[in-house]
Amino acid sequence: MTISLGAVVRDRFGREGIVCSKEAPPSEDWLKEQVGVSDIRHLATETEWWGVMPFGGGYLLCPEPELEWLRSATFEDFLALVDTATVHGRERLAKLFPHFVERLLGERHRPH
């Protein structure tokens, strides 16, 4: 499968998360600060860059060749990210997965 919004991926360091945005290539200054910059520089100039929200929190900027597609995000994946996301991160997730938000709200309003 190909990398796309809503995919669960693993980066070159083994961190797993959900692809949340397509990003512009980073600046030269940003690249200089990265571990393995020589590997990143060898990637084609037409490389797609993705914003990934890892399950452990935070946000990553990753070149596509360094991401491994694992699966499409599930409702459980969504919930795992919501637990660690900032307000901005939760807004991003709500826009990416409106159907999961509807399901979550429906489950919370349903009598037990």
Side-chain angles (χ1 to χ4, degrees):
M1 300 293 294
T2 60
I3 306 301
S4 61
L5 296 176
V8 176
V9 296
R10 181 182 299 124
D11 76 357
R12 65 185 170 132
F13 298 108
R15 298 173 293 198
E16 294 182 7
I18 295 178
V19 175
C20 292
S21 62
K22 193 170 189 178
E23 299 287 341
S27 69
E28 184 62 30
D29 289 338
W30 183 89
L31 283 173
K32 288 178 187 177
E33 296 176 5
Q34 303 310 303
V35 173
V37 67
S38 59
D39 295 335
I40 296 172
R41 287 189 198 289
H42 286 96
L43 299 172
T45 57
E46 298 298 316
T47 296
E48 299 286 343
W49 287 81
W50 298 96
V52 177
M53 191 177 297
F55 291 114
Y59 206 72
L60 308 171
L61 178 61
C62 304
E64 186 168 320
E66 293 188 352
L67 293 174
E68 175 188 1
W69 186 91
L70 300 176
R71 64 182 177 277
S72 295
T74 64
F75 183 63
E76 290 73 23
D77 294 328
F78 167 78
L79 292 177
L81 283 184
V82 167
D83 283 343
T84 61
T86 63
V87 171
H88 178 70
R90 289 178 179 176
E91 289 172 354
R92 185 184 299 261
L93 290 169
K95 290 177 184 172
L96 186 59
F97 299 108
H99 54 290
F100 288 158
V101 173
E102 288 178 26
R103 178 176 168 186
L104 179 62
L105 293 174
E107 289 180 5
R108 288 193 176 171
H109 293 296
R110 188 174 5 158
H112 293 276

